[in-house]
């Protein structure tokens, strides 16, 4: 469950979900604050300073600092995730530059996929080249997992974070669980 403010509570979409196989571990990521951020190139430095991490400016890259991770999704678009203290909207607002920041914390859920078969489990439904050469640690992309859009981040050689809209999270978890079983064969 996640506290929303004013005493309301929302059940997390993957609360209690876990699974995998002998080669893959699947688990729901802890709650996190997320913003969808859009800004022009001239405003990246000010936003980076306000957010406390350098927004990546190259395709398929991410940056992390102080519990925050910024994922490059396009020339003027990032998904910024805060797993700690929060305050992303306030930090972006304090930059003093023109930007768009939308809180998508409750739109998304994240699935952590790890183990020696993690890439194979994801590739059961995702066409992304997940070789270490093609998708190194820190690489990210907006892609698909079967019929749903995901944002994929490689967090370690054998670990990934799969960001998915909460309405598709059960489906994505089930597909990854089937991929995990196949990866163990």
């Amino acid at each position: 469950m996640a506290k929303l403010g004013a005493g309301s509570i929302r059940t997390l979409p993957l609360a209690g979900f876990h699974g995998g196989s002998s080669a893959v571990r699947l688990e729901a990521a802890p709650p996190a604050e997320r913003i969808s951020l859009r800004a022009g190139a001239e405003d990246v430095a000010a936003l980076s300073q306000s957010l406390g991490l350098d927004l990546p400016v190259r395709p398929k890259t991410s940056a992390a600092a102080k519990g925050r991770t910024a994922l490059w999704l396009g020339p003027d678009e990032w998904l910024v995730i805060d797993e700690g203290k929060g305050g992303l909207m306030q930090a972006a607002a304090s930059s003093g530059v023109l930007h768009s920041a939308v809180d998508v914390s409750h739109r998304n859920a994240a699935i952590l996929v790890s183990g020696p078969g993690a890439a194979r489990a994801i590739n059961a439904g995702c066409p992304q080249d997940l070789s270490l050469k093609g998708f190194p640690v820190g690489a990210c992309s907006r892609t698909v997992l079967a019929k749903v859009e995901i944002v994929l981040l490689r967090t370690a050689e054998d670990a990934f974070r799969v960001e998915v809209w909460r309405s598709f999270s059960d489906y994505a978890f089930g597909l990854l669980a089937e991929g995990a079983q196949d990866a163990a064969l």
Side-chain angles (χ1 to χ4, degrees), residues 36-52:
S36 174
L37 181 64
R38 307 281 311 245
E42 67 278 5
D43 298 320
V44 169
L47 282 161
S48 293
Q49 183 174 354
S50 292
L51 291 167

Side-chain angles (χ1 to χ4, degrees), residues 2 7 11 14 31 37-38 48 53 55 63-64 66 68 82 90 99 107-108 112 120 130 134-135 141 151 157 180 183:
T11 302
L14 296 173
L37 181 64
R38 307 281 311 245
S48 293
L53 79 163
L55 292 172
K66 303 173 191 162
R68 290 183 174 167
D82 187 310
Q90 297 83 355
H99 68 279
R107 178 193 75 186
N108 284 22
L112 304 178
R120 285 188 316 235
L130 296 181
F135 204 78
S141 72
V151 174
E157 284 190 21

